[in-house]
Amino acid sequence: MKKIIYGVLTIVFLFLLPACEKFTDITPKGKNLLQNVSDLESILNYNYTLNGSVQAGSAAGKTTAEDAFVFDDVNVLIDDIYPYVQNVTTVITAPTKTLNYAFLTSDETVDRKSLAATDIKYSKLYFIINNVANAVIASADNAAGDRSKANQYKAEAYVLRAYFHYMLVNFYAKAYNPATASSDAGIPYIKEDNVISEPNVKSTVAEVYSNILADIDAALQLNSLPKTNVNTMRAGLGFAYAVKAKVLLSMRRYEDALAAANQSLEINNTIEDHRTYEPVGDVPFIKAATAVGENLFYASGAVSGPSYRAISLEITKNYYEPGNIINKYIQPYYEDEGGTDLNGVAGAQVWYTFDYAVNSGGLSSIDCYLTKAECLARSGATQNINGAMAIINSIRQKRNHPTGYTPLTANTEQQAMAYLKKLSRIEFLYTYKNYVNIKRWNTEDAYKETISRTINGVSYQLKPESPLWIFPFPQNATNYNPNLTQNY
Amino acid sequence: MYKIYTTKPGIRFRLSHKILLIMRLTTVILLASLMQVSAATFGQRINFDRPNAPLKTLLREIRQQTGFDLYYDGKIISENQKVNVVLKDATLSEALEKTTKGLNLNYEIDGHTIIITRLKEPTLLDKLISRFKAIGVRGRIVNIDGGPVSGATIKVIGTKNFTYSSADGYFFLSDVAENASIEISYVGYQSKLVPASADLNTIVLEIASNNLQEISVNTGYQSIKKAKMTGATTTVTSQDLEKRYTPNILDNLEGRVPGLVNYKGTTTIRGVSSFSTNARNPLIVVDGLPIEGSLANINPYDVESITVLKDAAAASIYGIRASNGVIVVTTKKAKGKGTSIEFGADVTLTDKTDYTAYNYLTPSEQVDIESTYARWLFTNPTSGAANIAATTTQINNGITMTPITYQYYQFGRNLITTDQLNATLAGYKQNDFRQQYKDNALLNQLLQQYNLAIRNSGEKYQSSLVLNYKRDNTGIINAYNKQLNIFYKGTYQLSNRLSFNFGVNGILGKIKASNSSFAANGTNVSPYLRLLDQNGNRMYYNAYNTQISTTPQLQSMMFNHLDELGLDIKQTDQYFTRYYANMAIKILPGLTFSPQFQYENSVAKSRAYSESNSYIMRYLHNVYATRSGTSPNYNYGNLIPDGGKLATSEQTTNSWTARGQLDYNKQIGRHEISVIAGTEFRESLTRGTNGLLLGYNDQLQTQATTGVNFPAVSALTTTSFFKPTFNTVNLYNTYIGDQIGIIPEVRQRSNSLYANAQYTYDGKYNVFGSYRKDYADVFGLDKQYRGRPLWSVGSAWIISKEDFLADIKWLSFLKLRATYGITGNIPAGLSSRLVANSTLPVNAVTQLPVSIVEASGNPLLRWEKTATANVGLDFALFDNRLSGALDWYRKKSSDVFASTRIDPSEGFTSQIINNGNVLNNGLELSLQYQWFKPENAAGLFWSTTLLISHNNNKVTYVDQVANTPQLLTATGSLKTGYPVNSIFSYQYAGINSVGQPQWKKADGSFSTVALTSSDLNSVIYSGGLDPKNNVAITNEFNYKGFSLNILAVYYGGAYQRAMQPNNISSPLYGSMPSYLLNAWTPNNTNTLVPGFGQYAPPAILPAGQMLNSDAFVVSSDFIKIRSFALGYRLPGSLATKLGTKNIGLRFQVNNPKALWIRNDVNIDPETGTAPILTSYVFGLNFNL
């Protein structure tokens, strides 16, 4: 009897065992399982700006960059702007020293890491690397559908991964210095095979850069990137070359950088003509985030521009050319010109227009032009100072009122570089690029500079070798990753 | 334990087993005689030296000295019969020989049992002959009240000959041997043994309220005798449930099941064991299969029994869904022969909402408080003029203000005189909006429930048809909640080997309720306004917007609650159907195969129609009104069409369960074994859609949705002309955007393999084991965690059956249980796969569809695991007068889903992983004592049941996510060492000299601004939200057909936030809280309430800091009489005269005023505000 029962039971169980796993193996709806090539595209349609009508942190909020491309901290540090809607006197005199205080006064003694509980740059950029770029790279080969599309999406993802790591390594590590890069501590380079349960390990700066270049090469080798991108929030071939140029420039590989910049400029060589804007021209001062124009890839704090940011008096005074159309003629500034309401700095101009989308975190043809100009200015096989000045002048021509405009000339690398630095400071206002450039130049004796700002009669200096140039890893990272020691 | 068994009431089930055994054995006389010899050989020597002692005394002495069980029919030995026997070192057989000599009695010794019968059946031949001398036995079974007991089993002991009593309690049993014993049994009653005779007349069965052995425990997978159960279970039978009426059967379990706490709308069994709020509900099983529908849908009149499975051994058979306990509901079956009709009706009338219990200012107080402030606002020399100007701007922008503020604004502008102002204010003081609302809009909630059950039972087929109708007026005009529940089920006995059951249950529900978010509440208007004027005409009220009066294209914004209750209505139709079928196929003796299948379909459809002149449509019309051009030649337009709005929603859930199970039962001598094994497949699928029609007219059946330019409607985020600067995003989402869309489809599947085995030796020693493997769609990408087994073991020892306790007469029953096992739990909404959410809005810049990886795929994800150890003691003392159970448990939940923080470079700042631990320790005691046990139905019966449950809940590990005071004080925050549902609070340090509230920082100093993460340590624990101790006392009296059942409950050890003062800086358009009377002023500094109006705190209060302050945490302890039920059962004769079998009447009071409440802020801890409304139930039931 028992044998029969056991026999029946055993047979029943053996019969059912494989069925169990199969039965419960179902495809949930309302979920993108990244199984089809078309599924990958919607992953790449990430919104690289803040969408004010969805709540931060909500499911819909996660499809947006929120504040990741708002570079206030970076720009306060280098004296491009004053702290966002804060009274500078209060920031300086408050008994509690904040991060803004450290950035504003270049005070190296402030324990920044203890004040950096979180850092949206760090968390969002890595979020995008993992959940946009790596998700697509990991799934592209096995996704069903059009192979050329699959390769295109994979290539786009490689470019994004390279670019965002480039941003991260600049924020949290030393600038690339060929002499020390292989020993300078960098950041974790996260690839598609990342295991979440294992704490990430920092790579050296050299390793990070070689990974970045490898990713760009991987993207280019797929030979599937569209020349012009699907839209301004998607990577295309022009953007890929622009990233490559930027990275190589940082690595001081000027010849290669020049080649890449040229390849990008072949695809997009636009220089927006500010002379057409009212009141100089007759076009309203409007630029949508979706407008291609100079944009190779659009990523920014908002589609409406860097409103309420107060430009530092030093920038207004020393960097703007007198005939600059935006600063002098359009004046997209808050009515209360003193800006005293917001920052307590008399005369500081507060950006106050919601229609001109400044590309603070992406790349544009101007990046390529200025990369090209720097490569041409630099001594070496490709040196062509006149060529560099021609580029600088072609940009200046479209930025300044025709009546006051005169082309500049330079005879030496230093002269050309000085013009380039001045121009790029204005071109890249509100973006993270001034910070990256100054930090990069600070590694060279010929171009290092001390940034000096004066507030309430007190002068503050940011020295080239200051630890403030390296941002602290936030506590919500270092607390949970023992490998993540600070790089300053 | 050894006892003399008599046929007097009180025989326990064990006897039937014994007798079964005996009858089999006695047919073999030879064997019987051998047994006698062996008994004589090993039996103990007996001494007895009392001549002329009563026979019963002698027999008891024999029992005690030998330790043998003794059984005889009470009729064969009279109370006064005496014998003259003296025994000296006699063997058992000698003693019995002497005792029975000349008394026409015979004895048999069977194992350790002595049976004394009339001397008649000594030979096999006689026995054979007796078989032919069969008689027919008839009789009627009634309960102690004289009502018929239908469906009782009447069985000839030792045979398979049995029948059921009919609906009237009558039975007829043919082919009964003349000398046979007949056992009459019925669930919930004490079995009775009577000798056969042609007419047994009326047999009264007593309710077995405490007979531990009698009850069968239905686990959903099998039915086990309570005595054999190793696990902790509580069974509540229909007799108990019917003692009081509750529309929801769950409420009726209060005070009946230790460990089950139904508190503030959530049901927990033995504490909370998961961090996920969606994973704390017990599993509901109806007629053997888990249901997705709600327990509220169970017809309370149709419940035969409810069993609550509490520990691992009892519940582990439910595997991954068992951690929160299991509630097993068994519905009534047709019993007896013929047709029976039961009818029940209960009408519940509830008090009206009492607004005076809500801690509001009286209208007169509110007039005074507002006046003081408004006078200062507009007439003070410093800012009066500026405030008038600011108010003018506000009015132009359509911003609300109170009528009194408006009066003073007019006064400040010298548009009205002091006399006019005072007259208006005096008029206001006479009004009471809340009272008018209560009188004209609210009703006494009336819940009517009617139940009709028609049950039919034949030889081969039994069926039940149950109709239940419920109507609830929901306590407000223009609303109802109706439900019709039809249940038909039947059983075919196709052959001895095959039976077939099926059932169809359909529930139709219709709900009508106000769809207006304003109209269903009488406190959202200044209480000194009027709903109706003196003549009963409706009054209209609202804020002031000058645009409306000057722009005919805008519609009036005036409002009347009664109007709106008729103009904006949501109707919901609910359809629930459940079909099931199962079979029992006897494959071999003892081996049964039972396949089962159940399909559930639940549909909810709603239609919310806001008529064109409803407030919300007028509001939307105005908000979406557009104006272009320049004054005075404006062009007006509207983005949404004129007319009403119809928002529809349809959601469907389909689920099915299929199960195949083998049952094997075998008894070999003293060994009893019972094994089940099976497999179960489940699937549930939910999906639905929401839709919206604009410009809808219900009468004309027209709509204008196709003409709406939705992008333009959603793009209008700021109104510029009706209410300048008003942000429409929320309005759009609530009334338009969110009304159109998909309710995402969710399909869930699980599959399991299970087996359990129970072994019993000698009726005393029980061992149990279970094993289950589960598979679920959401888990187990990693093979290691696929089908992770869940198991349990248990043992039970019936100590009272042991020889060494034979002498303890007061001990009727004693059982020790111990179990250990592992159960699981699945929080919904997680997956071990990497998936991206594709249901989100498009990329706002590129307008392309976007999906986003929301959580990392975690292949290591597995279900939560709870290991429960339980030790329990079941006991009955003093002839079952006192009975009860004591249980101790330790429930250790591990792998609890918890958020753990990770380095954001992993892509996420936190990840849900299995790394939380929760511990629940507890004690449960149930005690019942029968003070008076009546001899007959009319006698006085009084019993008291006491239940005590203690639970100590603690998070033993969580990777603490709260790293700021704001996060830690938020609802649902977790901290190691504290209960899952904890209250963490800021330390309120009172109000400083300038009227600014302040809080203690970590360093002990005070802060008036938001505390930061460095002050995390200043946040303190203020107690748990869940009660730790529950006590319930039920007193039950019966006398002459009257019954009284009183349930008193105590909930202790819980805390809650209550009556936290909001920072009210200007008067509210609505009822204002009474604590404002004690608000801070320079002259009233000894208060915790921040100043109001001109004395409002100088700086803005940090968000949430006041609401989450320790000063406003109060104890939730209370003692209440939950219900008081008085019943009357008409005497049987009267009932018969009226043409019924019995008639019962009921009057019940629920939730009278609380006996004791431990808080001084005048709230009912159960609601957080006003007391639960008292309700009165009037009930009638009868049988035909």
Side-chain angles (χ1 to χ4, degrees), chain B residues 81 609 622 774 816 838 969:
Chain B
Q81 187 155 25
Y609 176 38
N622 290 352
D774 278 289
L816 180 66
S838 56
T969 54

Side-chain angles (χ1 to χ4, degrees), chain B residues 150 166-168 335 338-342 453-456 1141 1184:
Chain B
S150 86
S166 70
D168 339 7
K335 281 169 191 160
T339 305
S340 75
I341 297 172
E342 296 159 23
I454 303 167
R455 303 187 201 275
N456 197 330
K1141 280 164 202 148
L1184 293 176

Side-chain angles (χ1 to χ4, degrees), chain B residues 219-234:
Chain B
T219 67
Y221 284 85
Q222 63 190 139
S223 195
I224 307 175
K225 287 282 183 201
K226 175 89 178 169
K228 288 188 188 174
M229 275 302 284
T230 59
T233 65
T234 304

Side-chain angles (χ1 to χ4, degrees), chain B residues 145-148 1129-1144 1182-1184:
Chain B
D145 304 329
R1129 189 158 290 281
L1130 265 63
S1133 55
L1134 187 56
T1136 314
K1137 271 184 202 160
L1138 291 169
T1140 62
K1141 280 164 202 148
N1142 64 54
I1143 299 180
F1182 57 84
N1183 288 3
L1184 293 176

Side-chain angles (χ1 to χ4, degrees), chain B residues 428-483:
Chain B
Y428 281 156
K429 285 196 177 187
Q430 303 303 314
N431 299 339
D432 188 344
F433 187 90
R434 294 187 296 250
Q435 185 62 38
Q436 281 194 312
Y437 185 81
K438 179 181 170 182
D439 291 343
N440 294 285
L442 298 184
L443 304 170
N444 284 90
Q445 190 187 0
L446 181 69
L447 173 70
Q448 300 156 274
Q449 191 164 17
Y450 306 99
N451 192 69
L452 179 68
I454 303 167
R455 303 187 201 275
N456 197 330
S457 186
E459 288 288 331
K460 298 284 186 193
Y461 180 67
Q462 290 155 9
S463 71
S464 294
L465 173 67
V466 185
L467 297 167
N468 189 287
Y469 177 73
K470 190 160 72 169
R471 190 185 193 285
D472 183 355
N473 69 4
T474 73
I476 191 163
I477 59 167
N478 266 330
Y480 56 73
N481 183 350
K482 299 189 284 194
Q483 194 187 68

Side-chain angles (χ1 to χ4, degrees), chain B residues 850-863:
Chain B
V850 59
S851 42
I852 192 72
V853 179
E854 281 191 311
S856 54
N858 178 3
L860 302 179
L861 213 59
R862 54 209 183 259
W863 43 78

Side-chain angles (χ1 to χ4, degrees), chain A residues 319 392 416-426 434 437-438 441-442 446-449:
Chain A
Y319 288 87
I392 290 167
M417 282 296 286
Y419 288 131
L420 181 137
K421 284 173 79 172
K422 195 170 172 187
L423 173 64
S424 83
R425 192 74 181 264
I426 294 300
N434 284 337
N437 282 335
I438 299 167
W441 291 323
N442 279 346
Y447 300 113
K448 64 166 64 168
E449 58 179 306

